[in-house]
Amino acid sequence: MKRFITLFLAIFMLLPTFSMFGCKQVSNSEKVLRVCNCEDYIDEDLLAEFTEETGIEVIYSTYGTNENLYNELVINPNSYDLVVPSEYMIEKLAVEGRIQKIDFSKSVLSDYKDNLSPFIKDRLDGILLKEGKNQGSSLSEFMVGYMWGTMGWVYNRDHVSDSDVKNWYSPFNNPALKKKITIKDAVRDSYIVGLAMVYENELKYALENNLGNQTITQILNNVEKSAINKVGEKLNSLKPMLYGFEVDSGKNDIVLGRIDAYVAWSGDACYAIDVACGEVEDEDGEIIEDKFLRDLSYSVPEEGSNIWFDGFVMPSGSTKHEYAYQFLEFISRPENVYRNMNYTGYTSMIANGDFNSPIEVDGEVYKDLYEAVVLGWFDESDNPQAQEVDLSYFFEGANTGNYTVMVSEEGMGRLIAQYPTADIVDRCAVMSYFDNDTLMRINDMWESVKGETFPTWLIILIAVLVILLAILVVLYRNKDKIKWIKLPQRKTTRAERKGYKVVKIERIDF
């Protein structure tokens, strides 16, 4: 039995190594770069163009959630050269020493530094690591910014009024929306929504009395046991109204009419709104078909929400620094920034676009990203009913000019999904990472909300025991073929241990 257990443990410990054989393994001498990103989060044509320009092959992988990526980096720190987590996960990885600082003295990053939105830089500089190996460092030292945005409601205006989505809880008060709502199947995002519902009055008080973003951030990062219990109760109370939990399917579900409201990241909101318009273009960019499927819009609830920042980071095991910096320069070029934004729907942290060359879109030349994106998509100066929206907080400092845009009422949701206004940003909080004890408590709460009857650790333990039992059965059935397995011997008797010889006596009849 000891040998069986030893063999099983040896196999179990080597499983991560065996799993590596299923992936393409490369040596440090090969001209390759291993990148891991979220699904549908880059125009993959750019990867081929990068390889054509530099000769560096990109081995591109995707992950489902930040937590999935974290687990992979823990098991195999050498698996990737660049990864794209969100700010709270970047903070956790930096605290634990699992990522390297970015060398911003590299000349290839000078344009990126000069053209990063000052608003973004200030926010990232202000997030300081409070513990760990890199205590006191800012989050901005570990990442090259990629995309950013907010979280809110995407809703079908044919069935949901604008007033129904002014608050997080409002849609759940509408009986007509029963089984027509989804929330995120991601513990961090649903937890912050639950906090906003539980502490709605406190958040409104903070906003009405100008207590500042710091107070809102504290409320939306509350991890006290009482807060966790209240969030669990609140999320459980929502389940009768839910169509389900989702990570990536919500944007398609609402376009197809399966649901009428869902909690969305702003980039997915842009995607859903654009697809619902049903515009089909030919090769010259001319609209050849226009099928207006749904009147979708986007709203960030008044009591507050999450503002998030995703960025490229280098895992501690990465050694392809030269290739990584070349890729970061390439992906931050204005024309590539525009293409990525147009493809994904998400918003780049780059505010300027004239540091290499003007941006050419469908034959038109724009001097910077503001002209290419904002004016190109939203400007309605000739519309007498359009509202003026000031976006100078994001673009000012990187560019020079007038940063107001005229937007119709129908287009406002699409605009704030792409570029939230300053007042929306002020009521949004950055998530902090959970320590291990807090994460365990919140995961237990989340498992209860999701309806899982067993904790995750117990399910894993049961699976391991089942595998162990199966291995033991196979080994026992093949014991005659495996010479090193010794079967248990007959126990010696007390007489034998004292030196007496046991003699078998035949039956004697008298």
Side-chain angles (χ1 to χ4, degrees):
M1 180 62 71
K2 288 182 179 178
R3 291 188 178 186
F4 290 166
I5 295 174
T6 302
L7 175 64
F8 171 74
L9 290 176
I11 294 172
F12 186 76
M13 292 175 68
L14 288 172
L15 280 177
T17 304
F18 296 155
S19 66
M20 291 169 58
F21 299 147
C23 304
K24 181 178 179 181
Q25 298 299 304
V26 295
S27 69
N28 287 336
S29 61
E30 294 182 2
K31 199 170 183 180
V32 298
L33 185 71
R34 301 161 299 173
V35 180
C36 189
N37 196 0
C38 295
E39 296 181 17
D40 299 324
Y41 208 26
I42 196 170
D43 182 348
E44 294 195 28
D45 288 343
L46 289 172
L47 303 180
E49 292 175 20
F50 173 74
T51 298
E52 184 179 354
E53 177 180 313
T54 64
I56 301 169
E57 179 187 0
V58 178
I59 299 179
Y60 189 74
S61 305
T62 60
Y63 67 88
T65 67
N66 280 286
E67 288 68 28
N68 296 148
L69 177 63
Y70 173 81
N71 291 336
E72 191 164 358
L73 292 177
V74 169
I75 293 172
N76 186 5
N78 302 315
S79 50
Y80 302 110
D81 302 303
L82 285 172
V83 296
V84 187
S86 298
E87 77 295 321
Y88 76 90
M89 187 55 69
I90 296 175
E91 186 179 4
K92 181 177 178 66
L93 292 168
V95 165
E96 296 178 1
R98 300 187 188 278
I99 55 176
Q100 310 171 40
K101 287 187 176 182
I102 302 294
D103 184 0
F104 286 104
S105 67
K106 297 282 187 181
S107 59
V108 292
L109 294 182
S110 59
D111 287 332
Y112 164 80
K113 289 191 302 177
D114 292 342
N115 296 285
L116 178 69
S117 167
F119 157 75
I120 298 288
K121 186 177 187 308
D122 289 345
R123 291 299 289 262
L124 297 179
D125 285 347
I127 302 175
L128 302 179
L129 306 186
K130 301 179 179 62
E131 57 184 343
K133 178 181 177 181
N134 296 294
Q135 184 175 358
S137 299
S138 69
L139 199 65
S140 59
E141 296 178 63
F142 294 89
M143 63 185 286
V144 169
Y146 186 50
M147 303 289 186
W148 73 286
T150 58
M151 187 167 64
W153 285 113
V154 173
Y155 60 104
N156 182 353
R157 299 182 74 183
D158 294 330
H159 299 146
V160 182
S161 68
D162 294 342
S163 60
D164 272 341
V165 290
K166 284 187 176 180
N167 307 102
W168 282 114
Y169 197 70
S170 297
F172 297 97
N173 288 329
N174 185 346
L177 294 180
K178 186 173 184 179
K179 302 299 182 182
K180 286 286 190 176
I181 305 172
T182 62
I183 64 174
K184 286 298 173 199
D185 189 5
V187 61
R188 287 308 307 257
D189 301 282
S190 290
Y191 183 71
I192 201 171
V193 170
L195 283 172
M197 291 181 180
V198 169
Y199 297 104
E200 179 180 358
N201 292 332
E202 288 83 348
L203 288 166
K204 287 182 176 178
Y205 179 85
L207 288 167
E208 291 168 359
N209 292 275
N210 298 316
L211 299 184
N213 186 264
Q214 186 175 359
T215 301
I216 295 171
T217 299
Q218 289 174 348
I219 296 173
L220 293 179
N221 281 283
N222 190 339
V223 292
E224 296 176 358
K225 289 183 179 180
S226 60
I228 296 172
N229 292 336
K230 290 177 182 178
V231 168
E233 293 171 2
K234 178 62 71 175
L235 294 178
N236 268 312
S237 72
L238 307 179
K239 289 167 67 175
M241 293 290 290
L242 292 179
Y243 176 80
F245 300 87
E246 63 81 35
V247 174
D248 198 47
S249 61
K251 57 180 180 274
N252 294 318
D253 288 336
I254 199 165
V255 169
L256 294 173
R258 296 178 183 139
I259 58 176
D260 287 322
Y262 85 107
V263 176
W265 299 303
S266 51
D268 281 355
C270 293
Y271 174 90
I273 294 170
D274 291 346
V275 171
C277 288
E279 293 181 350
V280 180
E281 299 179 351
D282 61 18
E283 294 180 354
D284 298 325
E286 297 294 328
I287 297 175
I288 57 175
E289 188 177 359
D290 192 349
K291 297 180 180 178
F292 195 77
L293 303 175
R294 303 278 182 271
D295 183 10
L296 301 186
S297 192
Y298 178 74
S299 173
V300 178
E302 292 179 346
E303 59 266 37
S305 184
N306 169 229
I307 183 172
W308 51 265
F309 305 96
D310 293 349
F312 284 94
V313 300
M314 292 185 188
S316 56
S318 170
T319 58
K320 303 293 185 67
H321 298 164
E322 178 186 349
Y323 300 159
Y325 284 118
Q326 285 182 259
F327 183 83
L328 294 173
E329 184 275 331
F330 178 85
I331 212 70
S332 298
R333 293 177 189 171
E335 61 272 20
N336 295 337
V337 165
Y338 177 86
R339 285 176 57 182
N340 259 336
M341 289 177 61
N342 195 43
Y343 179 85
T344 66
Y346 284 85
T347 303
S348 174
M349 297 187 196
I350 298 293
N352 198 8
D354 59 2
F355 51 86
N356 281 327
S357 61
I359 303 173
E360 183 174 335
V361 180
D362 297 332
E364 291 192 47
V365 178
Y366 300 91
K367 70 178 179 63
D368 55 36
L369 283 174
Y370 177 78
E371 280 193 345
V373 179
V374 184
L375 296 184
W377 293 356
F378 304 110
D379 191 54
E380 297 191 19
S381 301
D382 57 347
N383 185 347
Q385 297 179 336
Q387 304 176 52
E388 184 176 276
V389 178
D390 183 4
L391 298 176
S392 60
Y393 80 93
F394 180 80
F395 290 97
E396 194 170 48
N399 300 323
T400 57
N402 178 22
Y403 306 112
T404 59
V405 61
M406 303 301 294
V407 184
S408 67
E409 180 184 356
E410 292 78 12
M412 186 62 72
R414 178 62 174 78
L415 173 66
I416 65 172
Q418 195 77 61
Y419 288 103
T421 55
D423 65 302
I424 291 176
V425 168
D426 288 342
R427 65 176 188 261
C428 289
V430 176
M431 287 191 226
S432 298
Y433 80 97
F434 296 149
D435 60 38
N436 291 333
D437 290 340
T438 300
L439 183 60
M440 185 176 298
R441 289 197 299 271
I442 291 180
N443 278 341
D444 286 343
M445 176 275 293
W446 183 239
E447 287 160 0
S448 174
V449 170
K450 292 289 297 298
E452 297 176 5
T453 55
F454 296 103
T456 303
W457 67 266
L458 183 57
I459 295 173
I460 295 173
L461 178 60
I462 292 172
V464 170
L465 291 175
V466 169
I467 294 171
L468 174 60
L469 180 60
I471 291 175
L472 293 177
V473 169
V474 171
L475 291 175
Y476 183 77
R477 287 182 177 179
N478 294 275
K479 60 184 179 296
D480 295 332
K481 300 177 182 179
I482 305 176
K483 296 181 179 180
W484 54 264
I485 295 180
K486 293 183 179 179
L487 297 178
Q489 302 297 314
R490 179 180 66 83
K491 292 183 178 180
T492 58
T493 65
R494 183 179 180 186
E496 288 176 308
R497 290 196 296 270
K498 287 189 174 184
Y500 294 100
K501 184 177 181 182
V502 178
V503 179
K504 183 178 181 181
I505 303 176
E506 302 292 336
R507 179 180 176 198
I508 301 176
D509 295 324
F510 293 93

